[in-house]
């Protein structure tokens, strides 16, 4: 019988873990979308849930609907262990 290892199985979802995801997501989104300069902050909404605020430099990049869907899909995958109550994407 093969052992099926899930690297995320024993993850404790807390503010430190979510903060580390934010840092990783910034790096990945900047690779995906070049000069957009992302900033991501998670706010604890209580009861172990979080609201994600994703900000980007609007002078450096604009996103069409397809690109926004790519961002939402990436966030959904990256934050799959985290209970998200909302995702706000806006430029500064």
């Amino acid at each position: 019988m093969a052992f099926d290892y899930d690297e995320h199985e024993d993850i404790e979802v807390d503010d430190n873990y979510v903060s580390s995801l934010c840092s990783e997501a910034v790096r990945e989104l900047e690779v995906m979308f070049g000069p957009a300069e992302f900033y991501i902050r998670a706010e604890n909404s209580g009861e172990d849930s979080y609201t994600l605020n994703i900000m980007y430099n609007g002078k450096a990049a604009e996103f069409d609907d397809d690109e926004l869907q790519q961002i939402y899909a990436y966030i959904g995958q990256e934050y799959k262990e985290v209970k998200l109550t909302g995702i706000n994407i806006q430029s500064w």
Side-chain angles (χ1 to χ4, degrees):
M1 178 178 211
F3 179 73
D4 186 21
Y5 174 72
D6 181 1
E7 67 181 77
H8 299 283
E9 190 172 307
D10 295 329
I11 300 264
E12 179 180 341
V13 176
D14 59 11
D15 290 350
N16 290 330
Y17 175 70
V18 174
S19 179
S20 71
L21 286 179
C22 289
S23 296
E24 186 176 329
V26 164
R27 287 188 299 273
E28 186 63 29
L29 289 172
E30 287 179 349
V31 166
M32 292 168 65
F33 295 104
E37 297 180 61
F38 285 91
Y39 174 74
I40 301 174
R41 194 175 107 227
E43 294 179 26
N44 190 320
S45 303
E47 298 183 24
D48 298 325
S49 63
Y50 293 85
T51 299
L52 255 160
N53 295 301
I54 302 171
M55 294 169 277
Y56 64 93
N57 184 340
K59 293 178 183 173
E62 290 185 27
F63 299 113
D64 62 26
D65 289 341
D66 289 338
E67 291 168 324
L68 287 173
Q69 289 306 315
Q70 288 177 357
I71 293 171
Y72 282 112
Y74 169 74
I75 294 298
Q77 178 62 33
E78 186 68 21
Y79 289 79
K80 64 185 173 191
E81 292 92 5
V82 179
K83 181 178 173 187
L84 294 177
T85 55
I87 300 172
N88 303 315
I89 301 177
Q90 63 186 28
S91 67
W92 77 75

